[in-house]
């Protein structure tokens, strides 16, 4: 097998966050090319049409002019953005201008790296070729079964699995400098199919991994929806209790309609901190709502937040943990960052002044 047995997230060589928080420039910015998905996966909120409808969330593709404003806005930060993640809630290839977006961002001198994640249904040579040419640095491919029948069962989609395998092989042969990562949830396949997974894709990607389901989305009971009991973390690591979310200190997310969430797991739009259509990315990063949320976590009050308090990402998926450094970070944060205690943190908490 040519590929490294390695998850799509780099777990080694990570920055010690306690040495850099608070950040003037975010490390990672998520931008969602499309909030809709052609799959109806049981293990993902986006796959539950009724639940999404209840949120009132925009279902569609990001407009190109909204995207270019985001990229232009990011140039106002003092340092380059380390990673632009072009995915969040939906299937990125549903945006027909995905390649144009990547090309535009790639030309900017303030974005160092661009990746995306796809279910592969639209990853044909005709669609993938322009994305490669645009300069995408890495594509993460989610495999959700090892046959047409399994895809229909788990995603509700009439999937052409043999055609998908052919497209993956074409992509690998034509990828240039782009990295390919392929992963599959281990709960979807048998022991025999794990071997088949590695045999099928192991020579046509750069990294490959079998992940676990994780209760990462707040207010979405993945065990109830899938019938799977989760005992290990997403990367097969032990589950570790965590109080302080590090993501809100080094990244934020732009939804397909331009609303900005403090967290890439905000599928219900309860952690909105701004709107890039009317505000700058820099102002939103330093906004009273974002800083109120950060202070709430540093003061050990995460569980008072209606959304953050029920987040399984911190226990099952977290690559960073700053809990041990929270007193020091709180002192540093309050000295360097102006916080309006009359502003409520997003997620249903009360204003800090009232607590």
């Amino acid at each position: 097998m040519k590929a490294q047995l390695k998850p799509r997230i780099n777990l080694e060589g990570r920055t010690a966050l306690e040495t850099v928080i608070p950040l003037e420039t975010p490390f990672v910015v998520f931008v969602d090319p499309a909030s809709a998905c052609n799959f109806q996966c049981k293990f993902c909120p986006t796959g539950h049409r009724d639940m999404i409808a209840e949120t009132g969330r925009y279902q569609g593709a990001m407009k190109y002019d909204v995207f270019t404003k985001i990229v232009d806005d990011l140039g106002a930060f003092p340092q380059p953005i380390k990673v632009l993640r072009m995915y969040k809630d939906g299937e990125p290839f549903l945006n027909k201008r995905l390649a144009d977006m990547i090309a535009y961002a790639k030309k900017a001198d303030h974005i160092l790296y661009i990746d995306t994640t796809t279910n592969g249904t639209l990853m044909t040579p005709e669609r993938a070729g322009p994305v490669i040419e645009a300069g995408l640095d890495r594509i993460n491919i989610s495999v959700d079964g090892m046959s047409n029948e399994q895809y229909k069962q788990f995603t509700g989609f009439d999937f052409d699995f043999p055609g998908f395998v052919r497209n993956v092989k074409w992509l690998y042969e034509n990828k240039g400098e782009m990295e390919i990562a392929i992963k599959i949830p281990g709960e979807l396949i048998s022991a025999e199919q794990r071997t088949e997974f590695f045999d099928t894709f192991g020579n046509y990607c750069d990294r490959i991994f079998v992940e676990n389901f994780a209760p990462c989305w707040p207010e979405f009971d993945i065990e109830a929806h899938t019938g799977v009991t989760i005992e290990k973390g997403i990367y097969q690591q032990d589950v570790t209790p965590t109080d302080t979310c590090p993501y809100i200190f080094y990244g934020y997310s732009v939804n397909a309609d331009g609303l900005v969430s403090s967290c890439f797991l905000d599928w219900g739009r309860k952690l909105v901190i701004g709107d890039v259509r009317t505000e700058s990315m820099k102002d939103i990063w330093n906004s009273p709502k974002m800083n109120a949320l950060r202070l709430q976590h540093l003061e050990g009050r995460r569980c008072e937040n209606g959304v953050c308090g029920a987040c399984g990402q911190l226990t099952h998926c977290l690559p960073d943990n700053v809990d041990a450094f929270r007193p020091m970070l709180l002192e540093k944060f309050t000295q360097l960052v102006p916080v309006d205690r009359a502003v409520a943190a997003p997620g249903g908490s009360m204003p800090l002044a009232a607590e």
Side-chain angles (χ1 to χ4, degrees), residues 43-44 48 115 126 285 337 351:
F43 47 84
C44 174
H48 293 260
D115 64 19
E126 293 75 22
W285 176 249
V337 178

Side-chain angles (χ1 to χ4, degrees), residues 94-343:
L94 287 175
N95 192 315
K96 295 181 179 179
R97 299 206 67 179
L98 179 63
D100 295 333
M101 291 174 164
I102 294 169
Y104 188 86
K106 198 66 181 178
K107 291 177 183 176
D109 59 3
H110 52 270
I111 296 173
L112 302 180
Y113 189 90
I114 305 173
D115 64 19
T116 193
T117 295
T118 177
N119 62 32
T121 51
L122 302 173
M123 197 182 63
T124 62
E126 293 75 22
R127 294 294 304 279
V131 166
I132 296 171
E133 186 177 351
L136 185 67
D137 292 291
R138 188 170 82 198
I139 187 167
N140 304 306
I141 304 171
S142 298
V143 180
D144 294 309
M146 291 302 297
S147 68
N148 293 359
E149 293 74 23
Q150 281 188 316
Y151 265 86
K152 184 65 176 178
Q153 177 185 355
F154 297 130
T155 73
F157 190 84
D158 290 320
F159 194 70
D160 177 10
F161 185 74
F164 168 67
V165 173
R166 289 194 297 273
N167 286 338
V168 169
K169 292 180 178 180
W170 180 91
L171 190 74
Y172 186 74
E173 293 168 355
N174 295 275
K175 71 184 185 74
E177 297 299 314
M178 184 181 71
E179 184 182 21
I180 300 174
I182 298 181
K183 55 93 173 178
I184 193 170
E187 292 86 350
L188 298 184
I189 53 176
S190 65
E192 293 77 13
Q193 286 180 317
R194 284 181 177 238
T195 300
E196 182 186 355
F197 169 68
F198 289 117
D199 290 344
T200 302
F201 298 106
N203 287 323
Y204 302 99
C205 60
D206 300 290
R207 60 173 80 183
I208 192 168
F209 206 74
V210 177
E211 295 185 352
N212 294 333
F213 280 150
C216 53
W217 288 284
E219 302 181 322
F220 180 80
D221 191 338
I222 191 170
E223 291 186 331
H225 286 292
T226 63
V228 172
T229 299
I230 298 172
E231 297 178 346
K232 285 283 192 177
I234 191 171
Y235 308 122
Q236 302 165 17
Q237 80 277 25
D238 291 335
V239 174
T240 305
T242 306
D243 271 339
T244 314
C245 176
Y247 294 110
I248 56 177
F249 293 94
Y250 69 78
Y252 57 163
S253 308
V254 188
N255 299 300
D257 58 356
L259 293 178
V260 181
S261 293
S262 61
C263 176
F264 66 99
L265 297 168
D266 183 29
W267 64 274
R269 304 301 186 265
K270 294 183 178 181
L271 296 173
V272 171
I273 53 172
D275 188 336
V276 75
R277 294 168 295 188
T278 57
E279 303 168 80
S280 75
M281 289 293 287
K282 186 176 181 181
D283 285 347
I284 297 171
W285 176 249
N286 297 305
S287 66
K289 284 187 177 182
M290 188 66 162
N291 283 331
L293 182 63
R294 291 167 177 148
L295 183 63
Q296 185 181 59
H297 280 246
L298 288 177
E299 290 183 337
R301 300 182 297 108
R302 173 180 66 85
C303 290
E304 296 177 11
N305 190 299
V307 179
C308 298
C311 178
Q313 179 78 8
L314 300 187
T315 52
H316 290 70
C317 310
L318 197 64
D320 307 292
N321 191 328
V322 296
D323 278 356
F325 306 97
R326 193 167 65 204
M328 177 269 289
L329 291 174
L330 175 60
E331 181 179 1
K332 185 178 178 183
F333 185 81
T334 53
Q335 288 176 350
L336 297 177
V337 178
V339 179
D340 185 349
R341 287 185 170 268
V343 175

Side-chain angles (χ1 to χ4, degrees), residues 31 62-71 84 86 101 105:
V31 175
M62 176 176 282
K63 294 180 179 179
Y64 185 70
D65 62 339
V66 174
F67 180 79
T68 57
K69 180 184 182 298
I70 294 167
V71 172
L84 178 64
M86 296 192 62
M101 291 174 164

